[in-house]
Amino acid sequence: MSDLEALTTRLADDEVVGLGAYTDADASNIVVAVHTRAAYDRAVARRPEYPNYLTWSIGEWDLMSFEQLPEDALVPINQELAQRLPTAEDGAQVTFREAVWEAVVGALEALARSGQLDRWPHAARAFEPVDAGVSEERIRGWTARLNTPERLAEYDAGRPTPRPDRGVPVPAA
């Protein structure tokens, strides 16, 4: 929560249109992300055919903990993840990734359930493992855990829209 608070401290609550986290494909880096109204509006002006994609895709969001925060609370966690990362692409690495992804989604879900995210009632809540080849259905499942039924309906309303590349910058380990 500290990175999320630090990223939003200078923003009015209604300026936040998205909040969440992402990891790189091997789950060795966790990044907190926030999407601001100004960045969203600029993106929609450039690409009006993708408003839903621009809402939900963390790759389009503008504030990333590793870029904006001089004291990113995730640095020690990411250092530990990098040390524990299995080196071979095998069952151990799959288990590791799954555990990290579940921990991140679980933490975001706990924040939502405890009311700590209520300050931003209209913000999309998202988690994505970038470039990890995760199915849209799995991402939808995480999205369902983090959002109200009304927000999930908004997410679902835009799913048939073709989605551009989902690339997101990930900090170096």
Side-chain angles (χ1 to χ4, degrees):
M1 185 69 179
S2 65
D3 276 3
L4 185 57
E5 288 173 343
L7 286 172
T8 59
T9 192
R10 294 189 175 142
L11 299 172
D13 294 348
D14 62 349
E15 289 181 60
V16 176
V17 296
L19 51 92
Y22 68 87
T23 69
D24 51 2
D26 65 7
S28 64
N29 279 295
I30 302 168
V31 178
V32 171
V34 170
H35 197 43
T36 64
R37 167 68 56 201
Y40 173 78
D41 289 346
R42 283 190 306 272
V44 169
R46 282 190 313 272
R47 295 171 37 196
E49 68 276 21
Y50 295 115
N52 202 53
Y53 167 79
L54 295 166
T55 298
W56 293 97
S57 178
I58 289 179
E60 302 296 331
W61 294 10
D62 56 318
L63 302 179
M64 310 296 172
S65 55
F66 75 95
E67 292 178 336
Q68 264 77 37
L69 303 179
E71 296 183 29
D72 181 353
L74 291 169
V75 168
I77 294 167
N78 288 336
Q79 288 171 341
E80 184 173 339
L81 289 173
Q83 289 174 353
R84 292 178 180 235
L85 179 68
T87 55
E89 178 65 38
D90 62 8
Q93 193 172 64
V94 170
T95 300
F96 176 86
R97 276 193 313 247
E98 295 289 328
V100 171
W101 295 342
E102 185 56 37
V104 174
V105 173
L108 290 170
E109 185 177 28
L111 289 173
R113 283 189 180 170
S114 70
Q116 293 182 66
L117 303 181
D118 289 353
R119 170 178 162 195
W120 307 283
H122 303 293
R125 300 170 185 169
F127 169 73
E128 282 187 44
V130 177
D131 297 329
V134 176
S135 73
E136 284 292 324
E137 287 308 307
R138 183 131 189 237
I139 291 171
R140 186 199 182 277
W142 290 325
T143 303
R145 290 173 56 188
L146 302 177
N147 290 276
T148 64
E150 295 79 19
R151 290 300 295 186
L152 186 62
E154 292 173 23
Y155 174 85
D156 286 338
R159 289 181 77 214
T161 303
R163 295 178 60 129
D165 180 16
R166 297 162 67 88
V168 178
V170 176

